[in-house]
Amino acid sequence: MKREVDLVILSDVHLGTYGCRAQELLHYLYSIKPAKLVLNGDIMDIWQFKKSYFPDQHLKVIKYLFDMAYQGCEVIYITGNHDEMLRKFTNIHFGNIQLVDKLVLHLGNKRAWIFHGDVFDASIQHSKWLAKLGGWGYDRLIGLNNLMNWILVRLGKEKYSLSKRIKNSVKKAVKFISDFEQTASELAIESEYDYVICGHIHQPQIRTVVTKKGSCIYMNSGDWIENLSALEYHNGEWDMFGYEEKKGTLGRYPIHDMLLNYSLENILERVRVQSL
């Protein structure tokens, strides 16, 4: 039986890249029944899109998101930097799916401000070619890391994250994350939002930020490259779902048996027809 959730927010799936953990995401999505699903940017990695690499598992994620919408789940897709080409279609609706650049949700008597967060990244705003090069390098690093972890697991050792090690050891990376969270929170407080929710930096987080002007709860949904995380809101409470810690509670679902009757072209044509 699927677990009912009022709201699920996930981001930074990066479909179409070697690092994307599509099968784990499918397992998670198949285990829940959310009333509303917010996809907070970088779901498709259009920056690195290649027709030569878009595995069936990645297509199954797209198909299953359509299936969720068809079954009554409200799906809101917020654009990020890796899927920024979709911004030309902002505010389009097709069926139960909406495409936006940012979102404000009313949750009880509180307001949540949700956006991807790339607007705070100077490398994207001023040196897009450098950001794209960094994305290419990150994808290769994750590919190397996956191979290394495959070997470690077979040797009976724990998995190791190269990118986390690099991020945590480079002072500029640590400062960027801290500045990102503080800037988003200060803007939210000034605009009197109770929650500010981002993606982009691949750092799952729920914490209270207090300034002289007030306070808010800053949240980040993480990613489905390394952290395999999502934000869940149910019965007025927030929780951070972590796949590695909770996969044993999800049960067994026939992910391998899910038939894929669509090609990427079929799915894109389906989007075009529904948007007319």
Side-chain angles (χ1 to χ4, degrees):
M1 186 174 179
K2 297 188 178 186
R3 180 168 56 91
E4 294 191 359
V5 190
D6 294 333
L7 168 66
V8 170
I9 302 175
L10 57 89
S11 66
D12 299 275
V13 177
H14 294 276
L15 292 168
T17 65
Y18 295 105
C20 173
R21 302 285 290 275
Q23 184 161 314
E24 289 86 347
L25 177 57
L26 277 169
H27 188 192
Y28 170 60
L29 290 175
Y30 204 76
S31 74
I32 57 174
K33 186 179 180 181
K36 190 189 300 286
L37 173 64
V38 175
L39 305 171
N40 196 10
D42 289 1
I43 306 304
M44 294 259 308
D45 199 316
I46 298 175
W47 275 10
Q48 300 185 67
F49 176 76
K50 297 189 189 99
K51 280 192 175 182
S52 60
Y53 186 79
F54 210 91
D56 281 355
Q57 291 295 332
H58 295 211
L59 287 171
K60 285 177 182 178
V61 171
I62 298 175
K63 178 184 180 297
Y64 195 69
L65 292 173
F66 275 100
D67 289 345
M68 291 176 73
Y70 181 76
Q71 293 166 13
C73 175
E74 182 183 357
V75 178
I76 303 173
Y77 192 126
I78 301 174
T79 52
N81 52 298
H82 284 255
D83 45 22
E84 63 181 353
M85 288 179 65
L86 297 177
R87 286 176 175 161
K88 65 179 71 174
F89 305 111
T90 294
N91 297 323
I92 195 172
H93 288 73
F94 40 98
N96 238 9
I97 302 175
Q98 180 182 2
L99 184 68
V100 298
D101 290 337
K102 56 186 178 297
L103 178 68
V104 175
L105 288 181
H106 294 267
L107 303 172
N109 61 350
K110 296 186 177 182
R111 294 193 306 156
W113 185 28
I114 310 172
F115 55 96
H116 183 65
D118 54 298
V119 68
F120 299 139
D121 194 334
S123 69
I124 292 170
Q125 301 302 318
H126 304 295
S127 303
K128 191 170 292 184
W129 67 270
L130 185 61
K132 289 184 178 182
L133 181 62
W136 179 88
Y138 177 73
D139 193 37
R140 269 58 190 174
L141 177 65
I142 294 299
L144 174 63
N145 204 164
N146 288 341
L147 174 61
M148 185 183 78
N149 283 332
W150 182 85
I151 296 171
L152 287 174
V153 168
R154 275 146 188 79
L155 293 176
K157 300 183 180 296
E158 292 186 0
K159 292 181 179 180
Y160 186 82
S161 174
L162 289 172
S163 70
K164 284 184 181 179
R165 175 68 176 176
I166 292 170
K167 286 178 184 176
N168 292 336
S169 62
V170 178
K171 289 184 178 179
K172 283 187 177 180
V174 175
K175 185 177 185 301
F176 169 76
I177 291 169
S178 176
D179 289 349
F180 177 97
E181 296 177 349
Q182 192 66 29
T183 300
S185 300
E186 288 175 357
L187 288 173
I189 291 168
E190 288 177 8
S191 300
E192 299 183 344
Y193 291 109
D194 301 284
Y195 311 116
V196 57
I197 304 169
C198 302
H200 188 58
I201 58 174
H202 297 202
Q203 292 285 322
Q205 181 70 266
I206 300 178
R207 71 181 181 94
T208 299
V209 176
V210 179
T211 70
K212 293 179 180 179
K213 295 183 179 180
S215 66
C216 75
I217 296 178
Y218 166 85
M219 288 177 271
N220 194 296
S221 47
D223 63 275
W224 284 84
I225 301 289
E226 296 179 270
N227 294 293
L228 313 188
S229 56
L231 287 164
E232 297 183 349
Y233 178 82
H234 192 64
N235 292 333
E237 299 290 333
W238 286 100
D239 183 49
M240 181 69 72
F241 173 88
Y243 180 83
E244 292 295 345
E245 296 80 17
K246 298 180 181 178
K247 61 185 177 182
T249 68
L250 301 184
R252 293 181 178 272
Y253 296 95
I255 296 301
H256 294 290
D257 300 329
M258 290 173 65
L259 297 177
L260 184 63
N261 298 318
Y262 296 93
S263 67
L264 181 59
E265 289 77 11
N266 293 148
I267 291 174
L268 293 174
E269 177 63 18
R270 186 176 176 185
V271 171
R272 188 190 69 80
V273 170
Q274 292 190 38
S275 64
L276 294 178

